Amino acid sequence: MTRNRPRIVVVGAGFAGHQAAKTLSRQLRDNAEIVLLNPTDYFLYLPLLPQVAAGILEPRRVTVSLPGTLPRVRLVLGEADRVDLAARRVHYTGPEDDKGELEYDRLVLAVGSVNKLLPVPGVAEHAHGFRGLPEALYLRDHVTRQIELAAATGDPDECAARCTFVVVGAGYTGTEVAAQGKMFTDALVRRQRAWRHAGHKPRWLLLDIAPRVLPELDRRLSRTADTVLRGRGVDVRTGTSVKEATREGVLLDDGEFVDTRTVVWCVGVRPDPLVSEVGLPVERGRLLVEPTLNVPGHPEVFACGDAAAVPDLTRPGEFTPMTAQHAARQGKVAGRNVAASLGYGEQQRYKHNDLGFVVDLGGVKAAANPLGVHLSGPVAGAVTRGYHLAAMPGNRIRVAADWLLDAVLPRQAVQLGLVRSWSVPLDTASPELARVPGGRGRAEQSEPDG
C-alpha cells in the first residue's frame, strides 16, 4: 500500500518514548503518521511505583492512558521482536501472540530498560524485580500475605522468617521500597491483634555493595536517607552483597544466612535486550548515538532514554546517566529532531544539567536537592510530592486525592491475588507484562513455583 505521509514509528512508551511521540504530534500534527508500538496502553510513572506496593496509591493512579494523552498518535499494542534496518521494518508480537510488522520512514528506539541481573546463584528463581506494575502488585500482595501468615503460625522461627524482608540494592528504587515497605508492614502489624503474642516485629534489610545508600546521588541526600531509614528501624548494610539465594533465605558474602521469604531485587537496570540485537554499535548495551540522538550511519534512526548512550556535553567523555529526568528530555529532543529531519524545524543537540533529585522516604520524610539546595524532612516531602505532580502527564488530582485519603484513613490491607509469583519472573525482557499460562515473550517462560 502506498503511503501519502511519512510514517514515524516510536518503539516504547516510557519517559523517552512518550515525550517523543507527544512532541512529534505537536510539531507535525497531520503532516506525518505517528505510530507508537508498546506492550501496554498506558505510560507508567515509575517513580511512584513504591507507593503502589505500599498501598498508598491505587495502581491506575500511576498509569496514564496513551490514547487519551496522545490523540494524534496511532497506538499499536505489541512487543518489538526485531528491527530490520535494511527493509526499514519493525517486527513485533501482539498481545494475543499475533505477529505483525511496521514499515517506517523514521524510527525512534525508546525501549527503556529491564532488571539488571548478576550471576548470583538462586536469585533468578527466588527474587523479584521492581520495574513494572505487575511486580508492584505482586509485592503488595506478597508482603501482606507474609505478615498474615507470620501472625497465624505458632512457630517462632517461621514467624521471624516470614516477617523479614530483604531489599538488594540501595539505589533510588531500593531505598524507596525499603522506606515505604517498613512503614507499610508496621501499619499492618498494628492492626492485627495476633501480633501482640507473636514476639517478632517486621524486619527490613537494605543491602548494597556500595559504601553508602544512594551511591549515585549527592552525599547529603545519602546521609539524609540513611538517617531516616535507620531511625525507622531498617537494617541498612552497606559493603554487603548476596552470595546465594534459596527458598529459605539469602546467604550474605560475610557468611551470615538470613531467613526470609522475600527478596526484592533492585540492583539497577540494564538496557532492553532488543537494543543489542539491532546490530549497531553499543556501549554497555546502549545504542551509541550522536548528540542529536541520531544513530551514526542511519539518518532515519534515532534513539533516546535508557536505550541510548548519549554523549554528555556537560561532562565531556561521559554518557548521560540512565534516569527519568534525562529520558524525558531526550524524548523531547528526539521528537524535535525527527521532525526537523522531515523539514519541520531545526535540529538541536541534547545538553542538560541535572536540576536535582528527590527521594520519597515515606510519610512526610524525603530528601531533595532542587537546583542544588539540600532539603530534608517535611519541606523535602512537600517538594518531592509537588515535583511528582508536576512531572506526571495526567492523573494529578487522583494522585493528590489518594495522598489525602492515606493521611486520614488506614490503608486497605487485603490480598487481591491477581499476580502470582511465577507470572513476574526476575529474568524477563518485559517487566511491564505479567506472564500468563501459555503466553510467550522475548524471555524464556518460567515454571509455576506454587
Side-chain angles (χ1 to χ4, degrees), residues 92-151:
Y92 67 91
T93 301
E96 297 182 350
D97 289 337
D98 50 310
K99 299 293 182 179
E101 61 180 48
L102 291 168
E103 294 185 17
Y104 62 83
D105 297 289
R106 297 291 185 275
L107 174 66
V108 180
L109 286 173
V111 288
S113 54
V114 299
N115 293 308
K116 182 180 180 180
L117 300 178
L118 296 177
V120 178
V123 162
E125 294 80 15
H126 303 290
H128 292 282
F130 203 81
R131 288 294 298 166
L133 192 57
E135 293 169 321
L137 292 174
Y138 166 74
L139 183 61
R140 186 160 103 178
D141 268 10
H142 174 78
V143 168
T144 303
R145 180 166 57 254
Q146 296 310 306
I147 292 296
E148 293 171 348
L149 291 174

Side-chain angles (χ1 to χ4, degrees), residues 149-321:
L149 291 174
T153 183
D155 184 343
D157 292 335
E158 181 183 348
C159 177
R162 290 194 181 279
C163 64
T164 297
F165 306 92
V166 177
V167 180
V168 187
Y172 186 95
T173 301
T175 297
E176 289 199 341
V177 168
Q180 298 282 4
K182 185 62 167 65
M183 292 188 69
F184 181 43
T185 53
D186 286 350
L188 292 178
V189 167
R190 285 195 298 269
R191 296 177 61 187
Q192 296 192 23
R193 295 192 177 208
W195 272 96
R196 298 178 184 177
H197 311 288
H200 294 281
K201 293 183 179 180
R203 177 190 180 200
W204 283 76
L205 279 75
L206 178 61
L207 314 175
D208 202 299
I209 194 64
R212 60 186 176 93
V213 300
L214 301 173
E216 71 277 18
L217 301 185
D218 183 270
R219 286 186 176 274
R220 289 174 296 178
L221 290 179
S222 176
R223 284 195 297 269
T224 297
D226 188 88
T227 300
V228 171
L229 289 168
R230 294 182 189 274
R232 194 168 289 164
V234 176
D235 187 354
V236 180
R237 301 194 188 184
T238 54
T240 304
S241 63
V242 173
K243 189 175 181 180
E244 183 181 3
T246 70
R247 189 179 182 88
E248 287 74 34
V250 292
L251 176 64
L252 307 184
D253 60 357
D254 60 6
E256 179 184 356
F257 188 85
V258 178
D259 293 301
T260 182
R261 302 294 182 270
T262 309
V263 181
V264 188
W265 193 256
C266 302
V267 298
V269 296
R270 59 190 171 104
D272 190 296
L274 176 72
V275 177
S276 297
E277 298 167 3
V278 172
L280 296 174
V282 297
E283 169 67 27
R284 295 186 179 181
R286 303 165 72 187
L287 201 60
L288 284 168
V289 298
E290 298 171 345
T292 57
L293 308 180
N294 184 237
V295 175
H298 290 271
E300 77 285 0
V301 180
F302 295 76
C304 51
D306 291 354
V310 182
D312 192 337
L313 299 183
T314 67
R315 295 180 297 178
E318 298 184 29
F319 297 101
T320 57

Side-chain angles (χ1 to χ4, degrees), residues 28-42:
L28 299 176
R29 294 188 175 271
D30 296 324
N31 293 310
E33 180 190 6
I34 305 166
V35 181
L36 180 59
L37 177 64
N38 198 60
T40 66
D41 64 351
Y42 60 79

